[in-house]
Amino acid sequence: MPPSHDDWSTRHSVQATARRTAALVNSLAEERPEPAAIAEVLLAHGEPAPLELSAEDVAAMRAAAVRLREVFAAADTDRAASVLDSLLREGTGRIRLSSHDGTSPWHPHLDSDDDAPWGEWFLASSCMALTVLIWDRQRPPGGVCASPSCRAVFLTLGSGSERRYCSRRCATRERVAAHRRARA
Ligand SMILES: [Zn+2]
């Protein structure tokens, strides 16, 4: 019996994919990301084991991460939408539906095939999630941490005011540094 739609709301699945995108963009920003480290991020975000990544896969994913970072770096919703629209035009295939041979509910894909290479899959699944987030929320899907020593990307899924930092840790560190500068 195929899984019911209750197990798999669209919003939940889009947010989970977007979280995976942010985590991968950050892990792939390392100087030389290890395939094993990237595989661990994928497993932590629900990709089924066993999972084999080559150095070429990681290089292709890294190229995709550089493009995806531009969406997070966009200053406002219009800019995020326009950057993402370019990515959809240049980097993804046509929309298609897949149920992965009946193992999941029908859902849209922008990669060419269920067995598409990792780099293509990463860019396409990320573009799909970020597109739906902009559509659903009419605001930028995330941002880049304002801490110069961090620059991690983050998602803004809550409804709160605009965020500048990826984490409480970065916000505190920068606040302390600003205090020190003011007193000096
Ligand atoms: Zn940060």
Side-chain angles (χ1 to χ4, degrees):
M1 206 174 86
S4 83
H5 190 262
D6 293 343
D7 304 330
W8 204 85
S9 85
T10 301
R11 185 169 288 183
H12 174 84
S13 126
V14 164
Q15 293 192 355
T17 302
R19 279 198 191 88
R20 186 186 66 206
T21 294
L24 284 169
V25 167
N26 289 334
S27 303
L28 289 158
E30 308 268 324
E31 192 73 45
R32 274 173 213 284
E34 288 291 330
I38 302 304
E40 243 170 71
V41 177
L42 287 166
L43 292 170
H45 285 82
E47 279 304 301
L51 198 153
E52 293 249 353
L53 285 181
S54 67
E56 290 75 40
D57 291 327
V58 172
M61 290 176 77
R62 200 159 190 260
V66 169
R67 301 297 311 272
L68 289 163
R69 175 175 283 273
E70 294 171 27
V71 182
F72 289 88
D76 56 36
T77 312
D78 287 358
R79 177 74 193 143
S82 136
V83 170
L84 188 51
D85 195 47
S86 308
L87 267 181
L88 290 165
R89 198 165 47 239
E90 298 157 16
T92 68
R94 69 165 182 87
I95 197 164
R96 67 184 178 87
L97 282 158
S98 176
S99 70
H100 299 275
D101 297 323
T103 59
S104 76
W106 288 101
H107 59 282
H109 268 253
L110 292 172
D111 48 11
S112 56
D113 188 273
D114 285 350
D115 295 319
W118 284 103
E120 182 189 337
W121 166 85
F122 173 44
L123 185 66
S125 60
S126 298
C127 282
M128 174 65 78
L130 296 174
T131 295
V132 176
L133 280 183
I134 291 178
W135 179 14
D136 188 36
R137 300 165 49 79
Q138 298 296 311
R139 52 191 288 189
V144 177
C145 184
S147 168
S149 61
C150 177
R151 309 306 286 166
V153 304
F154 57 84
L155 281 178
T156 42
L157 295 175
S159 55
S161 59
E162 212 176 296
R163 258 174 77 181
R164 296 191 59 219
Y165 299 103
C166 70
S167 60
R168 198 173 288 261
R169 201 162 139 236
C170 278
T172 305
R173 184 178 61 247
E174 293 305 317
R175 198 165 51 236
V176 169
H179 268 292
R180 284 215 188 99
R181 278 196 299 273
R183 262 193 282 153

